Amino acid sequence: MRGVNLVAPSQPIDTAVFRPILNINAEWVAVVPYGFCREGEPHFYFHTNKMWWGETKEGTAKTIELAHQSGLKVMLKPHAWVGRGGYTGDFDLKTEADWLMFEKDFGDYVLANARIADSTKAELFCIATEMDNFARKRAPFWRALIKQVREIYHGPLTYADNWNHYPRNPFWADLDYVGVDAYFPLSSEKHPSVETLQKGWKLHLDELEDFAAKVQKPILFTEFGYRSVDFATEKPWESNDNKAENMALQADAYRAFFKEVWPRKWLVGAFAWKWFLHQPRNFHRDAFSPQEKPAEGVLKEGYGQK
């Protein structure tokens, strides 16, 4: 799977916005309709008219339809967004009553998206993204939810787990692919060489290969990517600091990925983070996007490999 994660468009789109994706030899897109909650509060909000067009029920379905019309396959990939500076992986609640209330809302969110995946014939459904603490604490909820999803959507399922949590996920046996958001630390240098970055991958790749063999399932990188800044490969998950621009390092990190990771037999594909359908005027201001940067050419070359 050669894919990119889409930023949900704020307004309606047409098929023209998918042409640049086809131009980089991508064959898949991840459609990402966010839902919203706040740390410590047992409510979850989704598909409301207060959200961007691409996060509404209608906008999500239309984006998938237009992607299909453009010849692209689709992974529907719901994300939670935790307000007040929270992180999905740390989300926690204090009482059983609060958890049950949240699970009702969150389950409705996942199942609503499963219905969209079914009605639009999305080729893959990713049930959720990086809910580490929730997944560990409430495994029975997730197993029951996966059963409900399979009653609605009959295609393959995955879950996007964080790079440092996937070995502890309690419900891989219930899914078809091990999904990993692959922000593995590779080097603490300001601008490491491609060779240094390849070496930085090796320990992680050995662990991933062993895990794939253990669970007898292929691994999908539901997200991978790097910011176009100095030290981008030290903590690739970071996004809130103000490091100096370094587009060359972003491109080198992509080069190392395609040289060292892409050929691995246990890897069924990867989705780059992230791709805008409505282009901001200055892409360099969003450090993760490879668009209109040297990394875009590396991505095109890498996805062009057969």
Side-chain angles (χ1 to χ4, degrees):
M1 302 181 200
R2 298 164 167 83
V4 295
N5 279 274
L6 303 181
V7 177
S10 59
Q11 54 191 301
I13 55 173
D14 59 29
T15 55
V17 299
F18 293 100
R19 291 172 194 156
I21 297 172
L22 295 167
N23 189 52
I24 62 163
N25 299 309
E27 298 172 345
W28 286 74
V29 291
V31 174
V32 183
Y34 275 95
F36 297 84
C37 58
R38 292 180 178 177
E39 182 61 47
E41 296 185 9
H43 305 289
F44 196 85
Y45 306 92
F46 62 97
H47 291 168
T48 75
N49 291 330
K50 294 182 180 179
M51 296 175 179
W52 285 355
W53 174 82
E55 292 168 341
T56 65
K57 179 179 179 181
E58 295 75 18
T60 300
K62 188 64 176 180
T63 302
I64 296 172
E65 176 189 336
L66 293 171
H68 280 157
Q69 288 178 14
S70 301
L72 291 159
K73 297 178 182 179
V74 174
M75 172 172 67
L76 181 56
K77 179 170 170 274
H79 280 228
W81 183 278
V82 182
R84 298 175 180 170
Y87 167 56
T88 54
D90 298 329
F91 181 81
D92 203 0
L93 295 168
K94 294 181 178 179
T95 69
E96 179 68 12
D98 280 355
W99 271 118
L100 291 174
M101 188 179 301
F102 184 81
E103 287 173 350
K104 174 63 170 62
D105 284 356
F106 188 81
D108 288 347
Y109 168 62
V110 173
L111 296 177
N113 281 293
R115 292 184 188 97
I116 295 172
D118 178 67
S119 64
T120 59
K121 296 180 170 57
E123 286 80 2
L124 177 61
F125 184 52
C126 178
I127 61 171
T129 302
E130 293 185 22
M131 305 294 290
D132 304 350
N133 184 65
F134 184 10
R136 286 199 307 273
K137 279 192 169 184
R138 313 288 293 188
F141 162 79
W142 288 91
R143 293 193 181 100
L145 179 62
I146 292 166
K147 288 182 179 178
Q148 290 178 282
V149 168
R150 289 203 184 274
E151 292 174 359
I152 296 168
Y153 172 76
H154 304 292
L157 301 180
T158 189
Y159 165 84
D161 215 336
N162 206 15
W163 67 273
N164 61 348
H165 178 260
Y166 76 90
R168 302 190 299 276
N169 185 296
F171 47 81
W172 288 132
D174 303 283
L175 300 172
D176 300 291
Y177 299 112
V178 173
V180 179
D181 287 352
Y183 300 107
F184 296 94
L186 303 178
S187 171
S188 59
E189 296 178 24
K190 180 179 179 180
H191 188 151
S193 66
V194 172
E195 292 75 16
T196 297
L197 294 172
Q198 288 182 250
K199 290 178 182 176
W201 267 110
K202 292 193 182 294
L203 174 62
H204 305 305
L205 295 178
D206 288 344
E207 292 174 348
L208 286 159
E209 182 174 11
D210 290 345
F211 191 76
K214 177 183 175 182
V215 299
Q216 291 293 291
K217 293 182 187 293
I219 291 175
L220 171 65
F221 281 180
T222 39
E223 294 176 23
F224 81 102
Y226 306 91
R227 292 183 298 156
S228 50
V229 298
D230 287 341
F231 299 101
T233 56
E234 182 178 21
K235 297 178 180 178
W237 59 89
E238 286 188 341
S239 60
N240 296 321
D241 53 17
N242 293 308
K243 292 186 170 69
E245 183 179 274
N246 189 337
M247 293 191 188
L249 175 54
Q250 183 187 42
D252 283 345
Y254 273 87
R255 287 188 184 95
F257 171 82
F258 283 108
K259 286 185 175 183
E260 194 66 36
V261 186
W262 193 242
R264 303 288 170 144
K265 300 293 186 184
W266 44 261
L267 185 70
V268 295
F271 287 75
W273 183 267
K274 58 187 175 177
W275 193 277
F276 289 87
L277 295 177
H278 283 305
Q279 299 187 5
R281 289 187 177 180
N282 294 306
F283 264 122
H284 66 274
R285 292 187 180 178
D286 189 282
F288 267 110
S289 174
Q291 291 163 274
E292 298 184 4
K293 301 175 186 176
E296 182 175 349
V298 180
L299 190 58
K300 178 177 182 177
E301 181 181 357
Y303 279 171
Q305 298 176 30
K306 298 300 181 182

